[in-house]
Amino acid sequence: MDSPAIMELGNISLLILMLIALALAWYSGFKTQFKSKSHFQKKQDKDYFIGLNYLLNDEPDLSIDAFISALEINSSTLESHLALGTLLRRRGKVDGSIAVYQKLLANSQLNRHELDQVKLGLIKSYVAAGLLDRAEKLIDELKVAGPEIQFSALNQGLTVYQLEKEWLKATIIVNDLLKICAPNQRSVYQIKASHFYCELSENELEFQHYNQARDYLNKAIGMDRNNVRTSLILGRLEFEQGNYKQAIKALLKISSQDAGFRSQAFDLLIAAYQALNNKKDLQRYIDSCLQEPLSPSFLLMLIKHIEESEGREKAREIFFQQIKLNPSIELLGQAILLNEGYSESNNHMQNAEFFNHILEDYLAGKAKYRCDNCGFELRSLHWLCPGCNEWGTVKPHSFLLDDVKI
């Protein structure tokens, strides 16, 4: 069964359980007040039977409204009201969910902890509705709540500030979370914090505010030394300031952090070596890369550089050595060009270019990156996965020949 069907089945199950819970909660209140039934209680009875009628007529949303109208708001029925707010939110009825929570907040019988629970649910519904300013206000109020609610509210704060791209506020929230989270959760929040500081650093770098960019970058490295993004930013920062040796040092570190990202750094690394006129170390670097397994995108960059610096014949020789070791559909176009280009026939060369363009068009519509956490595929690099909202899980992705189905 596919995931949408599973989610719908889960919603239906939750709906049934919700209706049962509401009925039981009403019945419990009915028993306790049976001996002193008031006019208000008679109205509750009427609403309850109206709800049953809606349910029997397969109108679950109307039945929920009727049951809730019959359900008194107090500590013993709070969980049913909160569950209703969650159910409505999951079913896409965000306005109804907000109305449930707002009605609860207006009730004077709930204590401080219970009101905080209501506010937390309201925050989630505000976020779902895109009412981020209202959510932010409630988050600030819950920063002094009990540990469990405070922790949940701060996590909602991360969601809000990521959506708003308020990276400085996000760093404040994540540092608060690092103070109260469990030891086994620290690495998760440190990764998030590192990327928040990277966002700030890149923003400063765009305006050539190098000192501030470096300050944020140092904080990012302090949070996660294995974050490959920090090395990419540091390489760019050093290069723009003319510190070519330091730029090379930063970019070479990527090989040990995550070799899949070497293609992201290659052009800047070549430029830094060329700025120093250091052909010897550049050649040594290329030779060392060719001794390791290479991603197709990185190999194509290497071959292009070799063709420009050492000629087509040398590039062809190295390329066909590599493609035998790691066959990939992304390399077929270059293989056609290099092989047919080796022939003296102009027609052969034109055919090679034609087939290469076909392959390029085919690959242009394919994902070049994939999230290791949820499998979400993307055509461009995103440090924050749009699928699962996790940082640093998107990696370069290649198409092997075995992956292609005709």
Side-chain angles (χ1 to χ4, degrees):
M1 188 179 295
D2 57 12
S3 57
I6 293 174
M7 289 179 65
E8 183 60 29
L9 182 60
N11 283 338
I12 293 172
S13 300
L14 183 59
L15 175 62
I16 294 171
L17 291 174
M18 182 69 225
L19 291 171
I20 293 172
L22 288 171
L24 290 174
W26 178 89
Y27 180 68
S28 175
F30 172 81
K31 287 187 67 178
T32 58
Q33 300 182 31
F34 180 77
K35 294 182 180 180
S36 57
K37 182 178 284 190
S38 62
H39 173 73
F40 175 72
Q41 185 63 35
K42 290 178 181 179
K43 180 182 181 302
Q44 288 181 313
D45 294 348
K46 181 180 177 181
D47 289 335
Y48 176 71
F49 288 110
I50 290 174
L52 283 180
N53 184 57
Y54 282 135
L55 183 58
L56 292 172
N57 288 309
D58 197 25
E59 298 178 278
D61 292 329
L62 292 174
S63 68
I64 287 177
D65 291 339
F67 278 131
I68 271 299
S69 179
L71 192 61
E72 185 181 358
I73 298 176
N74 55 47
S75 296
S76 62
T77 63
L78 177 62
E79 289 299 326
S80 296
H81 286 278
L82 293 175
L84 173 67
T86 300
L87 176 63
L88 291 173
R89 183 172 65 247
R90 290 181 179 178
R91 288 172 61 84
K93 301 181 183 298
V94 184
D95 290 343
S97 175
I98 291 173
V100 168
Y101 292 125
Q102 289 177 334
K103 182 179 178 181
L104 291 172
L105 284 180
N107 189 278
S108 59
Q109 297 184 42
L110 301 178
N111 61 38
R112 171 71 179 276
H113 177 71
E114 290 167 342
L115 288 173
D116 286 345
Q117 287 180 287
V118 175
K119 288 179 181 179
L120 182 60
L122 185 54
I123 288 170
K124 295 177 182 179
S125 293
Y126 278 153
V127 172
L131 302 172
L132 304 183
D133 54 336
R134 298 186 189 182
E136 187 175 349
K137 182 179 179 181
L138 288 178
I139 290 167
D140 287 337
E141 292 180 14
L142 293 183
K143 285 181 179 180
V144 293
E148 186 176 343
I149 291 179
Q150 180 191 27
F151 183 76
S152 297
L154 289 174
N155 275 288
Q156 288 299 310
L158 286 186
T159 300
V160 169
Y161 294 135
Q162 283 179 183
L163 290 171
E164 293 180 328
K165 299 187 184 300
E166 292 278 1
W167 305 118
L168 189 57
K169 290 182 179 179
T171 61
I172 295 172
I173 291 285
V174 79
N175 278 292
D176 288 340
L177 282 163
L178 282 167
K179 295 174 184 176
I180 62 176
C181 71
N184 62 351
Q185 295 177 311
R186 285 190 61 81
S187 62
V188 173
Y189 291 109
Q190 285 175 324
I191 289 172
K192 293 178 185 290
S194 182
H195 281 282
F196 296 156
Y197 284 121
C198 282
E199 292 285 345
L200 290 167
S201 181
E202 287 180 330
N203 289 342
E204 297 296 338
L205 197 52
E206 288 297 323
F207 295 98
Q208 298 182 344
H209 299 161
Y210 296 124
N211 291 337
Q212 189 62 59
R214 191 180 295 275
D215 182 50
Y216 284 133
L217 191 56
N218 286 335
K219 291 179 180 178
I221 295 169
M223 284 293 179
D224 182 12
R225 305 189 74 82
N226 292 320
N227 185 356
V228 67
R229 188 180 183 184
T230 61
S231 296
L232 287 168
I233 298 173
L234 182 58
R236 178 187 166 191
L237 174 61
E238 299 290 11
F239 185 88
E240 290 189 12
Q241 290 192 285
N243 303 324
Y244 302 120
K245 288 184 178 179
Q246 294 302 314
I248 291 170
K249 182 180 178 181
L251 296 171
L252 289 178
K253 189 178 179 182
I254 292 171
S255 295
S256 61
Q257 290 176 316
D258 191 332
F261 283 92
R262 285 182 295 188
S263 59
Q264 305 292 323
F266 185 71
D267 288 339
L268 189 60
L269 187 59
I270 295 298
Y273 276 122
Q274 290 175 341
L276 293 171
N277 196 27
N278 191 344
K279 297 180 181 180
K280 183 178 179 181
D281 284 345
L282 173 57
Q283 188 60 50
R284 187 181 293 113
Y285 170 70
I286 292 173
D287 291 342
S288 67
C289 289
L290 292 172
Q291 302 303 314
E292 305 171 11
L294 303 174
S295 68
S297 59
F298 187 45
L299 176 58
L300 289 174
M301 286 182 167
L302 286 172
I303 294 302
K304 180 181 179 182
H305 174 76
I306 292 170
E307 184 176 2
E308 291 173 352
S309 59
E310 300 183 54
R312 190 178 189 84
E313 177 60 26
K314 182 66 174 179
R316 180 180 181 277
E317 176 188 345
I318 293 175
F319 181 80
F320 281 99
Q321 289 174 354
Q322 292 292 324
I323 198 172
K324 289 178 182 178
L325 297 174
N326 300 292
S328 166
I329 192 171
E330 292 163 286
L331 302 178
L332 284 180
Q334 187 67 23
I336 294 171
L337 280 176
L338 287 173
N339 195 48
E340 294 296 336
Y342 190 61
S343 168
E344 295 180 357
S345 170
N346 288 332
N347 288 334
H348 283 176
M349 189 60 191
Q350 289 174 357
N351 288 337
E353 291 177 348
F354 172 74
F355 286 118
N356 184 55
H357 286 317
I358 292 176
L359 281 170
E360 287 180 344
D361 290 342
Y362 168 78
L363 291 171
K366 297 297 180 181
K368 293 181 175 61
Y369 300 88
R370 177 185 289 169
C371 175
D372 284 348
N373 186 55
C374 70
F376 194 91
E377 295 185 339
L378 307 99
R379 296 182 186 179
S380 59
L381 177 59
H382 289 244
W383 295 108
L384 176 64
C385 175
C388 62
N389 236 25
E390 292 294 331
W391 287 94
T393 55
V394 175
K395 309 289 183 182
H397 169 60
S398 300
F399 287 92
L400 301 178
L401 291 178
D402 291 342
D403 296 333
V404 182
K405 297 180 181 179
I406 300 175

